[in-house]
Amino acid sequence: QVQLVESGGGLVQAGGSLSLSCAASGLAFSTYHMGWFRQAPGKEREFVAAISWSVGSTDYADSVKGRFTIARDNAKSTVHLQMNSLKPEDTAVYYCNAVTRSTWRPLFGSWGQGTQVTVSS
């Protein structure tokens, strides 16, 4: 059974930074592309960033390019999201999931509990 456990969220002022982590189990982690998504109140869940299984390529939503960095540690089955220059509009619950190649759609229907990020102005 796949388990995804996100952590690292919190309350931060605009312009600040946070580092999120996602610990994965129950899957051959190093063979999956991984991604981060977020869902703000009243909005649909949206793609934030993805990283290929080989750690060779990354992709980002336009809204976070240049501010967020995704990374992974295959030895520890974890994926990270470094978020800098945070804006109030980054406020959301952040989730990780394995993703499909190229289109970066979430692969597993079951999500973790997510981690809340709140950015104050």
Side-chain angles (χ1 to χ4, degrees):
Q1 184 179 357
V2 174
Q3 280 197 318
L4 302 165
V5 180
E6 301 90 351
S7 62
L11 173 63
V12 65
Q13 287 188 332
S17 298
L18 280 174
S19 181
L20 307 184
S21 294
C22 169
S25 60
L27 74 165
F29 181 81
S30 64
T31 66
Y32 286 89
H33 308 307
M34 294 297 296
W36 282 94
F37 299 80
R38 66 186 182 187
Q39 187 168 21
K43 295 187 177 181
E44 292 189 354
R45 191 172 287 157
E46 65 176 3
F47 168 79
V48 174
I51 185 166
S52 66
W53 69 270
S54 63
V55 200
S57 63
T58 57
D59 196 11
Y60 298 91
D62 288 343
S63 58
V64 307
K65 277 182 183 175
R67 300 188 297 122
F68 291 11
T69 302
I70 188 171
R72 66 189 296 160
D73 184 339
N74 286 340
K76 296 182 179 179
S77 297
T78 56
V79 59
H80 306 279
L81 187 68
Q82 177 64 41
M83 306 186 297
N84 298 328
S85 303
L86 282 161
K87 304 175 181 180
E89 51 263 44
D90 294 318
T91 295
V93 179
Y94 284 71
Y95 303 87
C96 68
N97 204 324
V99 293
T100 59
R101 179 171 171 263
S102 299
T103 57
W104 308 132
R105 291 181 180 177
L107 195 57
F108 300 122
S110 177
W111 296 81
Q113 83 288 349
T115 186
Q116 175 71 49
V117 171
T118 303
V119 184
S120 63
S121 56

